[in-house]
């Protein structure tokens, strides 16, 4: 494939737009979930429309670099560089850029992004449809925006060297496409605003529901804990104030058993940690079968209550003796009479099934789940659907760094995944426990995906409606205009239709402006024909005047206006051709430099008018003395004159120059202002050489100038010549 020649102006435009796109892509606009608008790619679309695929590819290198810096994914180069080439070649083939963008995302972009997300990033399959749809949505948006930027910027219409349509499109086709562009940008923009508003409302609703659930469950849990803590404390106080012997503690425990419905077991120990009473009674029989060394004095719920004389709630642990299940023990000290001397403890194994019941009573139970942790971050209870093991440490990762959401997001199962699994709320209970209420993030993502899919469907419907509307408008506007253009284009060579133009479309439904246009065109055509002959005659006269003016301008450009001799610029241009001609013929050239003696004194004595008159006389004498057609006479600047004498006789040049010098000295010059007469002399330096001496006039003049200075040093009014070759 042959690449086009590099155009510096086009390269500069592509670079500037690429840098602008890079800066914009460094700050993508976050919307809902992980939707981000990357409007910097609009620059690629503009370059593709104006300059074609290769410049678009160059611009895409900049804009994609911006995305790579933000998203840290070099695979983006494949997707977006391919898009730039696709759009550029489609534009070169005369396809509308919007249709090219839609075809790219349907045929190439969506499959590539899907494979990239699946194979490279490891995104779950459930998330891939949303990510691909939103990127296609974004691609169509910035393509439409780029096309409208070109349409809205008149300076881009006349960009030199830009791509042009291969075929001239009808006004109807252009109008239809413009309607589609406007419809597309309107639908996409309104959909973005609506979707953003809708998703924000959904997030607010989810946040409120989670918060309400968290507050309700926290309150229920705290009430459950505090109630049962008070129950244990009351039993311990009752045992303390009754001051019954150890042998009666079992009976006393029976009497308060109705207060302990929330406990799986109740027990009383003595000061040594030996269980002296238990409920149900089977537990006491079980403890009696254990070894005599079995005590609870090494358990934290015993030591905390017995030693610190306070009611204590233990962390969750696996029961040993009391139960093999996960239990939480609430314990309180038994005091001796009215003293602070502990003589035992009352403890109860809390029934944790309560948390399952309050979980199921949650009205959002089917979507929400809970995790209850003790003060050591161990799982006391977790909803079954979460698959978390009780007593295991609760590990999670706050997720959603790449997701724009007004929600708290976390990952529980795949803590390193970039895609969040759950929305959550968190509450810390009065006893130091923590409650998490979570809800899957995927349904919200699916809702956003549905919104974008509906937008794409609505976009296609809108395009179809736009085409129908454009066709209807075309029948009212473009068709009558086309008929008018066809009718008046048939008037050739001054022949005008005599018959009034009529057509079924030209009736009362025809827009007034179009009918007025027809009448104006007919009247103007008659007027134009009447002026045609007059205009042609004027054009001929203007052409003649222009030729004369051009001739005068040519003379002004080549000649000195004061002396009418050739100027320096013309002389330097002509010397090369004179030198080449003489060199081929092996002829001699004389280059002569003349300078008026004491010319400044003439200006100072008589004035500048006298100086100008002196220069004119000098030119007249030169023109009359050197009369060959091949001689080139030039005023080189100020009072300096240059003679180029090709094909000269080297023996006669110096004598001829001396004759001129003497003739000038005899000329009487009259000052136009004072009418005083004076005369001037001239110093002359000359170089006579074969034409092959040098092709540069400056070299010749340098030698002639040296001779001129020698002539001035020798008293002026003399001729100094240098012969580079022997005279023939």
């Amino acid at each position: 494939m042959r690449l086009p020649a590099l155009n510096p102006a086009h390269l500069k435009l592509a670079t500037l737009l690429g840098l602008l796109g890079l800066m914009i892509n460094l700050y993508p606009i976050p919307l809902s979930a992980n939707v981000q608008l990357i409007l910097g790619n609009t620059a690629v679309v503009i370059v593709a429309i104006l300059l074609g695929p290769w410049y678009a590819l160059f611009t895409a290198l900049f804009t994609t670099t911006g995305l790579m810096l933000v998203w840290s994914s070099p695979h983006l180069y494949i997707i977006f560089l391919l898009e730039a080439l696709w759009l550029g070649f489609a534009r070169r083939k005369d396809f509308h850029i919007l249709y090219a963008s839609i075809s790219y995302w349907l045929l190439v972009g969506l499959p590539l992004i899907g494979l990239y997300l699946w194979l490279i990033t490891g995104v779950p399959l459930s998330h891939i449809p949303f990510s691909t749809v939103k990127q296609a949505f974004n691609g169509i948006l910035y393509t439409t925006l780029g096309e409208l930027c070109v349409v809205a910027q008149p300076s881009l219409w006349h960009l030199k060297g830009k791509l042009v349509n291969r075929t001239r499109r009808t006004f109807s086709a252009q109008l239809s496409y413009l309607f589609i562009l406007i419809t597309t940008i309107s639908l996409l923009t309104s959909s973005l605003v609506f979707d953003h508003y809708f998703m924000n409302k959904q997030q607010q609703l989810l946040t409120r529901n989670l918060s309400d659930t968290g507050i309700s469950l926290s309150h229920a849990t705290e009430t459950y804990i505090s109630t049962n803590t008070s129950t244990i404390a009351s039993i311990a106080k009752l045992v303390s104030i009754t001051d019954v012997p150890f042998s009666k503690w079992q009976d006393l425990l029976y009497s308060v058993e109705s207060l302990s419905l929330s406990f799986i077991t109740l027990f009383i120990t003595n000061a040594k940690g030996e269980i002296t009473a238990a409920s149900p009674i089977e537990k006491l029989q079980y403890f009696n079968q254990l070894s005599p060394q079995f005590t609870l004095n090494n358990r934290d719920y015993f030591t905390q209550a017995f030693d610190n004389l306070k009611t204590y709630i233990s962390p969750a642990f696996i029961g040993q003796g009391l139960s093999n299940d996960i239990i939480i023990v609430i314990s309180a000290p038994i005091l001796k009479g009215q003293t602070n001397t502990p003589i035992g403890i009352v403890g109860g194994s809390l029934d944790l099934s309560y948390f399952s019941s309050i979980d199921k009573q949650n009205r959002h139970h089917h979507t929400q789940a809970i995790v209850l942790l003790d003060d050591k971050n161990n799982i006391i209870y977790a909803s079954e659907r979460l698959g978390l093991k009780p007593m295991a440490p609760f590990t999670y990762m706050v997720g959603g760094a790449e997701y724009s959401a007004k929600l708290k997001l976390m990952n529980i199962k795949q803590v390193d995944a970039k895609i969040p699994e759950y929305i959550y709320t968190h509450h810390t209970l009065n006893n130091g426990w923590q409650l998490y209420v979570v809800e899957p993030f995927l349904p919200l993502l699916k809702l956003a995906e549905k919104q974008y899919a509906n937008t794409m469907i609505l976009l296609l419907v809108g395009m179809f409606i736009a085409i129908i509307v454009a066709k209807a408008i075309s029948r009212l506007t473009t068709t009558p205009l086309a008929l008018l253009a066809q009718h008046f284009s048939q008037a050739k060579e001054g022949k005008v239709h005599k018959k009034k133009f009529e057509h079924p479309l030209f009736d009362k439904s025809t827009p007034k402006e179009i009918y007025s246009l027809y009448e104006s065109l007919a009247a103007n055509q008659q007027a134009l024909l009447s002026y045609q002959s007059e205009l042609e005659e004027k054009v001929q006269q203007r052409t003649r005047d222009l030729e004369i003016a051009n001739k005068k301008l040519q003379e002004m450009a080549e000649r000195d206006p004061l002396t009418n001799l050739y100027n320096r610029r013309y002389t330097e241009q002509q010397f090369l051709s004179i030198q080449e001609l003489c060199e081929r013929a092996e002829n001699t050239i004389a280059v002569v430099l003349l300078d008026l003696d004491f010319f400044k004194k003439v200006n100072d004595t008589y004035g500048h008018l006298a100086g100008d008159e002196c220069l004119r006389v000098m030119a007249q004498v030169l023109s009359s003395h050197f009369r060959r057609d091949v001689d080139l006479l030039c005023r080189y600047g100020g009072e300096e004159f240059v003679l180029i004498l090709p094909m000269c006789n080297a023996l006669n040049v110096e004598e001829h120059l001396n004759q001129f010098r003497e003739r000038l000295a005899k000329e009487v010059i009259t000052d136009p202002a004072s009418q005083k007469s004076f005369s001037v002399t001239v110093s002359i330096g000359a170089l006579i050489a074969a034409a092959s001496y040098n092709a540069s006039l400056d070299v010749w003049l340098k030698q002639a100038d040296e001779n001129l200075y020698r002539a001035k040093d020798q008293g002026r009014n003399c001729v100094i010549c240098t012969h580079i070759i022997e005279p023939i």
Side-chain angles (χ1 to χ4, degrees), residues 581-598:
L581 179 64
C582 292
E583 184 177 9
R584 286 196 299 269
E586 298 182 354
N587 287 324
T588 303
I589 299 176
V591 175
V592 183
L593 190 60
L594 306 92
D595 187 88
L596 289 173
D597 298 330
F598 304 109

Side-chain angles (χ1 to χ4, degrees), residues 481 484 510-520:
L481 287 174
L484 285 176
T510 304
K512 184 177 180 180
E513 293 82 359
I514 295 179
Y515 197 80
S516 298
L517 175 63
Y518 161 68
E519 293 179 333
S520 298

Side-chain angles (χ1 to χ4, degrees), residues 137-166:
F137 181 94
N138 201 162
I140 296 172
L141 176 62
Y142 61 65
T143 299
T144 308
L145 186 61
E147 180 77 290
L148 287 176
C149 287
V150 175
V151 173
Q153 185 54 258
S155 61
L156 298 178
W157 303 350
H158 309 292
L159 180 66
K160 188 176 181 180
K162 75 178 186 69
L163 291 179
V164 295
N165 295 333
R166 294 185 176 184

Side-chain angles (χ1 to χ4, degrees), residues 503-677:
H503 193 276
L505 284 177
F506 285 86
D507 53 18
K508 295 297 182 181
S509 63
T510 304
K512 184 177 180 180
E513 293 82 359
I514 295 179
Y515 197 80
S516 298
L517 175 63
Y518 161 68
E519 293 179 333
S520 298
L521 287 173
N524 290 338
Q525 188 177 37
Q526 294 294 339
L528 286 173
L529 288 175
S530 64
Y531 291 121
Q532 183 175 354
S533 58
E534 180 181 352
L535 181 60
E536 290 176 353
E537 184 178 349
K538 288 183 178 181
V539 169
Q540 292 176 359
Q541 181 62 38
R542 294 290 187 274
T543 302
R544 290 192 294 268
D545 294 342
L546 185 60
E547 290 176 351
I548 295 172
N550 286 337
K551 186 175 181 181
K552 291 181 178 180
L553 288 174
Q554 182 69 25
E555 292 178 355
M556 291 174 64
E558 296 175 352
R559 293 186 179 272
D560 174 53
L562 179 63
T563 62
N564 201 34
L565 298 180
Y566 289 112
N567 58 25
R568 178 174 183 169
R569 178 173 171 272
Y570 178 79
T571 302
E572 291 174 346
Q573 291 176 345
Q574 292 297 313
F575 177 77
L576 184 59
S577 59
I578 293 174
Q579 187 269 338
E580 290 177 350
L581 179 64
C582 292
E583 184 177 9
R584 286 196 299 269
E586 298 182 354
N587 287 324
T588 303
I589 299 176
V591 175
V592 183
L593 190 60
L594 306 92
D595 187 88
L596 289 173
D597 298 330
F598 304 109
F599 182 72
K600 184 177 183 302
K601 185 176 180 181
V602 173
N603 282 330
D604 294 342
T605 303
Y606 300 102
H608 289 287
L609 291 178
D612 291 346
E613 183 64 22
C614 181
L615 294 174
R616 279 192 289 270
V617 171
M618 172 73 169
Q620 291 172 2
V621 177
L622 276 174
S623 299
S624 62
H625 196 76
F626 297 94
R627 294 178 293 181
R628 295 189 308 164
D629 294 337
V630 295
D631 293 342
L632 182 59
L633 314 180
C634 163
R635 182 187 175 190
Y636 207 64
E639 69 273 21
E640 287 187 340
F641 294 81
V642 170
L643 303 180
I644 297 177
L645 308 175
M647 297 176 287
C648 62
N649 189 330
L651 297 174
N652 297 334
V653 171
E654 186 172 357
E655 180 182 356
H656 199 55
L657 291 173
N658 276 310
Q659 291 174 357
F660 164 75
R661 177 183 58 79
E662 294 170 357
R663 179 177 172 183
L664 179 64
K666 296 176 182 179
E667 287 289 331
V668 178
I669 304 171
T670 303
D671 176 19
S674 63
Q675 296 300 315
K676 293 181 179 181
S677 299

Side-chain angles (χ1 to χ4, degrees), residues 308-354:
N308 298 328
L309 303 180
K310 66 177 184 179
T311 304
Y312 175 70
I313 304 173
S314 75
F317 63 95
I318 303 294
Q320 298 178 1
L322 294 177
S323 173
N324 293 324
D325 299 324
I326 297 173
I327 60 175
I328 293 172
V329 174
I330 301 176
S331 58
I334 302 173
L335 304 178
K336 183 178 182 180
Q338 300 298 323
T339 68
N340 288 330
T341 303
I343 58 175
I345 69 166
V346 176
S349 175
L350 196 63
D351 184 4
L352 299 184
S353 63
Y354 172 78

Side-chain angles (χ1 to χ4, degrees), residues 110-172:
L110 291 178
L112 276 180
I113 292 178
L115 289 173
Y116 162 70
L117 295 174
W118 180 38
L119 300 177
I120 305 299
T121 65
V123 172
L125 293 177
S126 58
H127 291 253
I128 290 178
F130 173 73
S131 298
T132 55
V133 169
K134 65 98 176 177
Q135 189 54 59
F137 181 94
N138 201 162
I140 296 172
L141 176 62
Y142 61 65
T143 299
T144 308
L145 186 61
E147 180 77 290
L148 287 176
C149 287
V150 175
V151 173
Q153 185 54 258
S155 61
L156 298 178
W157 303 350
H158 309 292
L159 180 66
K160 188 176 181 180
K162 75 178 186 69
L163 291 179
V164 295
N165 295 333
R166 294 185 176 184
T167 57
R168 189 181 299 276
R169 295 190 176 98
T170 64
F171 182 66
S172 176

